């Protein structure tokens, strides 16, 4: 079996000790298991720098999108409206979710290489007083651009709107003080910066806002309030729990603590990201996102000018040498992406850059 490391933003490369935790078939209804679930919830509150009872946690089966869909379809009521701020595919997915559920929404779109503007958001809110909720993505994994949730959070607070943030690819890998940022619902998943395996998402919510959502959900299995009501009692999942994933996640949280918490992990990711970008630039690969708008999680690169590159060929070349990169997700430019999160270190970035260098030399000499 070919073994390679993932330079994709989830699923990502996990440690052997996280994977080993999945060798147990755990019972779901006994106290041991319920305690693990409750302990995970407590640890997530700590990572978000919030406390009970003001904030609470819901774990939701499924990938990250299930978490986003759960929040949007459970908390925006029939006579309420959502402003969706988008500068990438994940923002657009929120609009898709609202469309499917028949939720009233307004979509404010920016080009993929721009940050949404707080001034523009304020204008839209003034022109559309029917808006009750705002949702946006923190780190847009589509391009790697980092959005300013602080500024928009301030506006949401000032104008008394519920603020929903998809921090799927940043939570655990960047410091996000949820309360200080005025966030009411923040969503992430097991297989991103906490470095677990895929299988569930988690939502940290302002408790009063969650309680207000009772009875609003359009879906049975994604009903955020009902999921919380069962889980918050004693840690029992409402429907079959992804037991192996939960055990792996619990271990991943322990390893995050051992690494030195979010601060240490963020530093490692930033160093990986900086090394990658600096070295790729030297080799003639221009990043799609400019300067300080670039987040520390994933980077989109253009191919160097004058070299005909095809993604699948480059992908296979790199994969055979131990790493999996990611295709671009832009509709109008030929790009590829490299993630630098997961159990990935500077040494991996160095190895990757050397492989790409070799590949480009081969291309230039027409050997590949
Ligand atoms: C990964 C990700 C998601 C969720 O995607 P899934 O494929 O459902 O796990 C949502 N938003 C962002 C920003 C992401 O990076």
């Amino acid at each position: 079996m070919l073994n390679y490391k993932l330079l994709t933003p989830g699923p990502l490369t996990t440690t052997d000790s996280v994977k080993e935790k999945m060798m147990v078939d755990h019972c779901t209804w006994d106290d041991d298991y319920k305690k693990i679930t409750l302990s995970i919830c407590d640890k997530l509150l700590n990572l978000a720098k919030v406390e009970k009872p003001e904030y609470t946690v819901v774990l939701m089966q499924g990938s990250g999108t299930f978490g986003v869909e759960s929040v949007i379809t459970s908390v925006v009521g029939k006579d309420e409206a959502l402003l969706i701020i988008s500068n990438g595919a994940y923002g657009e997915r929120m609009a898709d979710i609202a469309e499917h559920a028949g939720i009233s929404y307004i979509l404010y779109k920016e080009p993929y290489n721009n940050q949404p503007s707080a001034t523009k958001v304020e204008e839209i809110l003034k022109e559309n007083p029917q808006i009750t909720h705002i949702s946006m993505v923190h780190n847009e994994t589509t391009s790697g651009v980092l959005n300013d949730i602080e500024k928009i959070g301030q506006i949401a607070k000032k104008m008394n709107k519920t603020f929903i943030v998809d921090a799927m690819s940043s939570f655990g890998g960047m410091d996000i003080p949820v309360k200080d940022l005025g966030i009411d619902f923040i969503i992430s998943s097991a297989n991103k910066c906490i470095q677990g395996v895929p299988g569930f998402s988690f939502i940290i919510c302002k408790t009063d806002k969650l309680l207000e959502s009772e009875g609003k959900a359009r879906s049975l299995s994604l009903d955020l309030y009902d999921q919380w009501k069962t889980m918050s009692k004693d840690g029992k999942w409402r429907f079959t729990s992804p037991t192996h994933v939960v055990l792996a996640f619990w271990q991943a949280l322990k390893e995050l603590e051992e690494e030195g918490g979010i601060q240490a992990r963020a530093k490692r990711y930033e160093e990986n990201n900086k090394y990658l970008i600096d070295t790729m630039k030297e080799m003639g690969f221009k990043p799609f996102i400019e300067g300080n708008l670039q987040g520390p999680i994933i980077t989109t690169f253009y191919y160097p000018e004058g070299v005909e590159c095809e993604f699948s060929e480059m992908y296979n070349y790199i994969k055979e040498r131990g790493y999996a990169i990611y295709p671009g997700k832009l509709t109008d430019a030929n790009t590829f992406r490299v993630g630098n999160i997961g159990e990935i270190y500077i040494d991996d970035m160095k190895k990757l850059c050397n492989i790409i260098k070799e590949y480009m030399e081969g291309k230039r000499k027409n050997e590949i």
Side-chain angles (χ1 to χ4, degrees), residues 81-85 105-108 121 124-125 131 133-135:
L82 173 66
L83 170 62
I84 299 168
I85 300 170
Y105 72 96
I106 288 175
L107 178 60
Y108 157 40
V121 168
I124 297 172
L125 291 174
I131 294 169
H133 296 64
I134 302 172
S135 68

Side-chain angles (χ1 to χ4, degrees), residues 86-146:
S86 168
N87 58 340
Y90 293 102
E92 283 161 26
R93 190 174 294 173
M94 290 179 174
D96 209 2
I97 289 169
E99 193 69 45
H100 273 79
I103 290 168
S104 168
Y105 72 96
I106 288 175
L107 178 60
Y108 157 40
K109 257 172 125 168
E110 277 291 336
Y112 284 15
N113 57 348
N114 261 10
Q115 267 186 342
S117 137
T119 319
K120 189 81 201 288
V121 168
E122 195 161 3
E123 273 169 33
I124 297 172
L125 291 174
K126 281 183 183 150
E127 281 162 20
N128 299 278
Q130 79 277 18
I131 294 169
T132 48
H133 296 64
I134 302 172
S135 68
M136 71 184 290
V137 174
H138 183 211
N139 183 78
E140 239 310 346
T141 323
T142 313
S143 64
V145 70
L146 189 64

Side-chain angles (χ1 to χ4, degrees), residues 30-179:
D30 71 10
D31 281 344
D32 288 350
Y33 188 72
K34 290 192 281 195
K35 269 187 202 147
I36 291 173
T37 297
L38 290 176
S39 149
I40 286 174
C41 292
D42 285 345
K43 284 176 194 286
L44 289 173
L45 288 174
N46 282 339
L47 293 178
K49 297 186 170 159
V50 291
E51 281 173 20
K52 284 190 282 196
E54 190 182 10
Y55 281 83
T56 189
V57 179
V58 190
L59 311 183
M60 182 63 76
Q61 293 93 331
S63 79
T65 305
F66 292 62
V68 177
E69 186 151 15
S70 167
V71 172
I72 289 179
T73 61
S74 296
V75 310
V76 186
K78 287 202 166 58
D79 46 2
E80 297 178 314
L82 173 66
L83 170 62
I84 299 168
I85 300 170
S86 168
N87 58 340
Y90 293 102
E92 283 161 26
R93 190 174 294 173
M94 290 179 174
D96 209 2
I97 289 169
E99 193 69 45
H100 273 79
I103 290 168
S104 168
Y105 72 96
I106 288 175
L107 178 60
Y108 157 40
K109 257 172 125 168
E110 277 291 336
Y112 284 15
N113 57 348
N114 261 10
Q115 267 186 342
S117 137
T119 319
K120 189 81 201 288
V121 168
E122 195 161 3
E123 273 169 33
I124 297 172
L125 291 174
K126 281 183 183 150
E127 281 162 20
N128 299 278
Q130 79 277 18
I131 294 169
T132 48
H133 296 64
I134 302 172
S135 68
M136 71 184 290
V137 174
H138 183 211
N139 183 78
E140 239 310 346
T141 323
T142 313
S143 64
V145 70
L146 189 64
N147 291 329
D148 191 344
I149 48 174
E150 183 169 7
K151 265 202 197 131
I152 295 181
Q154 283 164 358
I155 291 167
K157 220 169 194 177
K158 188 172 91 181
M159 302 189 67
N160 204 19
K161 312 292 178 191
T162 299
F163 189 34
I164 301 165
V165 175
D166 167 350
M168 207 69 68
S169 60
S170 53
F171 189 87
M174 292 180 72
D175 185 34
I176 308 177
V178 168
K179 185 182 173 184

Side-chain angles (χ1 to χ4, degrees), residues 68-346:
V68 177
E69 186 151 15
S70 167
V71 172
I72 289 179
T73 61
S74 296
V75 310
V76 186
K78 287 202 166 58
D79 46 2
E80 297 178 314
L82 173 66
L83 170 62
I84 299 168
I85 300 170
S86 168
N87 58 340
Y90 293 102
E92 283 161 26
R93 190 174 294 173
M94 290 179 174
D96 209 2
I97 289 169
E99 193 69 45
H100 273 79
I103 290 168
S104 168
Y105 72 96
I106 288 175
L107 178 60
Y108 157 40
K109 257 172 125 168
E110 277 291 336
Y112 284 15
N113 57 348
N114 261 10
Q115 267 186 342
S117 137
T119 319
K120 189 81 201 288
V121 168
E122 195 161 3
E123 273 169 33
I124 297 172
L125 291 174
K126 281 183 183 150
E127 281 162 20
N128 299 278
Q130 79 277 18
I131 294 169
T132 48
H133 296 64
I134 302 172
S135 68
M136 71 184 290
V137 174
H138 183 211
N139 183 78
E140 239 310 346
T141 323
T142 313
S143 64
V145 70
L146 189 64
N147 291 329
D148 191 344
I149 48 174
E150 183 169 7
K151 265 202 197 131
I152 295 181
Q154 283 164 358
I155 291 167
K157 220 169 194 177
K158 188 172 91 181
M159 302 189 67
N160 204 19
K161 312 292 178 191
T162 299
F163 189 34
I164 301 165
V165 175
D166 167 350
M168 207 69 68
S169 60
S170 53
F171 189 87
M174 292 180 72
D175 185 34
I176 308 177
V178 168
K179 185 182 173 184
D180 297 349
L181 295 173
I183 301 170
D184 298 303
F185 296 89
I186 188 163
I187 309 138
S188 185
S189 73
N191 60 284
K192 302 239 174 165
C193 297
I194 310 273
Q195 299 186 184
V197 303
F200 70 89
S201 59
F202 56 86
I203 300 106
I204 297 158
C205 355
K206 190 95 190 300
T207 309
D208 57 354
K209 299 271 181 175
L210 177 68
L211 294 177
E212 273 172 31
S213 75
E214 183 179 1
K216 288 183 184 176
R218 290 150 180 89
S219 148
L220 170 76
S221 54
L222 294 177
D223 188 325
L224 190 69
Y225 176 86
D226 277 359
Q227 181 87 348
W228 172 79
K229 208 170 165 219
T230 305
M231 190 173 279
S232 65
K233 244 183 264 159
D234 62 355
K236 181 157 176 11
W237 290 64
R238 197 169 42 132
F239 304 125
T240 295
S241 159
T243 45
H244 303 81
V245 181
V246 168
L247 297 176
F249 189 72
W250 192 70
Q251 175 67 20
L253 283 168
K254 199 170 141 219
E255 292 178 14
L256 173 58
E257 274 167 35
E258 284 162 5
E259 184 174 347
I262 289 180
Q263 216 186 349
R265 183 155 295 176
K267 187 162 171 278
R268 174 163 63 87
Y269 288 172
E270 275 164 30
E271 285 170 1
N272 286 349
N273 187 255
K274 186 172 181 322
Y275 180 90
L276 172 74
I277 292 176
D278 289 349
T279 315
M280 290 292 279
K281 271 186 184 166
E282 281 168 21
M283 298 193 299
F285 292 88
K286 198 167 109 42
F288 171 70
I289 299 296
E290 312 251 331
N292 60 354
L293 296 190
Q294 170 66 50
I297 305 295
I298 183 168
T299 311
T300 300
F301 293 102
Y302 293 105
Y303 295 97
E305 274 170 42
V307 192
E308 276 302 310
C309 288
E310 199 211 327
F311 179 77
S312 62
E313 182 191 83
M314 186 167 91
Y315 172 82
N316 284 324
Y317 185 93
I318 297 172
K319 185 175 146 191
E320 280 161 17
R321 288 157 183 80
Y323 293 95
I325 62 165
Y326 219 36
K329 206 175 172 133
L330 307 181
T331 45
D332 53 353
N334 195 16
T335 55
F336 64 94
R337 292 178 290 170
V338 181
N340 54 264
I341 58 177
E343 195 59 9
I344 294 295
Y345 295 83
I346 286 270

